[in-house]
Amino acid sequence: MTEEAKTPPVVPINANQPIGEVLVFAEQILGQLQPVGLELLGAGRDLANKLERPLTAIVLGHNLGDIPKTLIAYGADKVYVADHPDLEQYRTLPYRRVICNWLEQMPVEPHTMLLGSTTTGRDLAPRIAAHFKTGLTADTTELDVGDYEHKGGADPSKIGLYANCLYAIRPSFGESLKARILGPWKNPQMATTRPGVMIPLKPDWERQGEIVQIPVELDPTDYRLVVKETFQEVKKGVNLADADVIVSGGYGMANAEGFELLRQLADCFENAAVGASRKAVDVGWIPYIHQIGQTGKTVRPKVYIACGISGAIQHRVGMQNADLIIAVNKDPDAPIFKFAHHGIVGDVYQVVPEMIRQLKQNQSATTKEVSSVV
Amino acid sequence: MSGSLNILVLIKQVPDTSSKAGLNPDGTIDRAKAKRMLNPFDRFALQAALHSKKVTNGKVTALSMGPPPAVEILLEAIEHGVDKGFLLSDRRLAASDTLATAYALHKVIQHLGPFDLIFTGLQTTDGDTAQVGPQIAERLNLPQVTYCEDFSIEGGKLHARRIVEGGHQTVVSEFPALVTVANAYHHLEYKTIRGARLVQELQRNEELKAQYIQTITLDDVGADPELCGLKGSPTIVAHTDKVGQIGGRCVMHQGKSIEMLVNEIAAGTNIKEFVRQ
Ligand SMILES: Cc1cc2nc3c(=O)[nH]c(=O)nc-3n(C[C@H](O)[C@H](O)[C@H](O)COP(=O)(O)OP(=O)(O)OC[C@H]3O[C@@H](n4cnc5c(N)ncnc54)[C@H](O)[C@@H]3O)c2cc1C
């Protein structure tokens, strides 16, 4: 007998439990599908393939037009559509009822349910999780499935190997640690993810899928809250998502005027925006819409210039996929130098003005070249 | 005019984020080693509760869950004008996730209530999930207004303005309701002279303090310990990874004149391609 044959393979505790589908909540506002739903389909497709289960999407609203087809093009095998005038605008109680009722009648509940970590997703997800008494992880930055061996803890009845668990990964409290959070005991295993974190698939408009109309049966108590008016604000010039260059400042900028200096540096570039760390936002030097990181925006610019930012994990997850990261920090041991591509050790108040000077010089030099050719 | 309301505000003591909190091997936080403060978001909830008390001539109770030192934030709440404080403190609550926390708190609320309005902070600075408020609302079958940035109480209803993706929304809710207050709401006002004097006295007089602040356990509110703590938590932190280096090694520029350092960057990267012409 070989060594291997002597130890029988461990059978996962949940080996005989049926595995359900991977379900994505697709959010729409005033009939506009929100990109986060498509991003979640990108992440969900990978999970569904690993679990060998269908990827489904659920969308609620009224007169949804092409939205279900779009969801199929972006990777959904099946789309559940709840179309009703009272669902036109998001409201907690009606949405919660329609979704919970639909999940309850499924022969096998979904294995995983993903929602955007938006004002809507963060309003709705905890209601659904509390209804099903299942686990919910907020603001995940990576998702995966895999085995998990539970070694004990407070509940010895749960000891053993579990297969096909959702890994909801997010930075944890305290620095430079990433936590893998699991809840294999109860399905659906739920997670929310911020917009911009996951990457949508390329749409395939030939892709076939099933569209299922689902029942809408509301209760009079679902009308305890009514929406009067929704205002969409005109976007002010912060477009972190599309900027080629982001000049970002942290607590090392020391004051609000420091961000004025960063704005001047950003103005040297064709398509640039100003970002910030949470610490700079919290002290009020710059509004929250500029915040980058786990609880702010996730960005993928061509160039990210981090000024006076230490590089905490919660910041890093929001910008680590930039093509080029340049860090300016006076502390040579700052964690940001562990993952930046280029680091300048120096005072931001000396380095940034010098950058502006050299870039402007470069600018006028090129302009001269051009004019001499003409 | 509305009648006087019975108001509850949920507050939490969190590790002071400017000091470094320890992380236990099992992924939970070592709160004993950390400095403590009132969760900054809860200051807005407290202001919302005190405002509602003022305009309806009502009563505000503050409720917190945590180890005994969390009494500090209840005293702080009383200094600001809260009428009474309760601390749910029980070892069996250790390592509760949001679902277990919401279960325990909803049992306390059922025990102390009924309340017309329940305020919570939008989220905490340690967990950052924003889940506990809505999970309590689900358990209590209440309508909820999350991301509330302003509100008024008129005709026996709550008229609120909340933040939504890319804008704002106005809603009207019946009572009872649960409201999570965003940090766009009004700042917490100063402590009241009356509140500050009272707390000074409470600190000298344990008997009097017990009339204002009560510490209660799971048994006092009939909560099932199996549904609390690690046992009652469907999620666990299974694994923490030290985040390693990603990508290539950082090219360091240092120990030269600033002009040369910046020049090295301009020469060694493609940033010039993005310069405005
Ligand atoms: C749940 C949770 C979520 C979070 N979400 C986010 C998030 O989304 N985004 C985010 O950014 N953070 C987030 N944080 C906070 C994060 O942990 C850090 O505290 C924060 O990123 C630190 O900001 P900072 O780098 O600006 O400040 P610090 O850590 O204080 O770093 C300042 C840096 O500036 C340098 N410096 C000082 N003066 C100068 C000078 N004159 N010239 C050059 N360098 C100088 C210092 O050497 C230091 O490295 C979160 C934290 C938690 C717990």
Side-chain angles (χ1 to χ4, degrees), chain A residues 96 119 122-123 127 148 177-178 180 182 224 226 228-229 231 233 267-268 270 316 341-343 358, chain B residues 23 123 138 141-142 144 146 165-166 168 170 172 174 236 238-239 241 244 251 253 259 274 276:
Chain A
R96 170 213 160 274
T119 50
R122 292 177 114 210
D123 187 272
R127 298 284 307 218
Y148 166 59
L177 286 172
K178 263 203 255 180
R180 186 190 290 170
L182 288 99
R224 284 176 285 174
V226 292
K228 287 290 172 196
E229 242 183 309
F231 324 84
E233 255 161 31
D267 282 343
C268 296
E270 190 61 49
R316 172 172 164 181
H341 302 103
H342 283 268
Q358 291 198 21
Chain B
L23 196 81
Q123 59 194 47
E138 179 66 22
N141 184 21
L142 294 179
Q144 70 189 28
T146 55
E165 237 51 39
H168 306 270
T170 49
V172 179
E174 292 178 9
I236 48 156
H239 187 84
D241 281 324
V251 184
H253 306 270
E259 188 179 348
F274 304 100
R276 186 191 294 273

Side-chain angles (χ1 to χ4, degrees), chain A residues 1-37:
Chain A
M1 269 224 269
T2 63
E3 278 297 308
E4 279 163 46
K6 272 186 224 160
T7 44
V10 182
V11 180
I13 293 186
N14 58 353
N16 294 324
Q17 261 165 37
I19 303 173
E21 62 203 51
V22 174
L23 176 66
V24 166
F25 171 71
E27 202 175 303
Q28 56 84 22
I29 300 178
L30 308 172
Q32 292 280 331
L33 185 62
Q34 299 300 296
V36 68

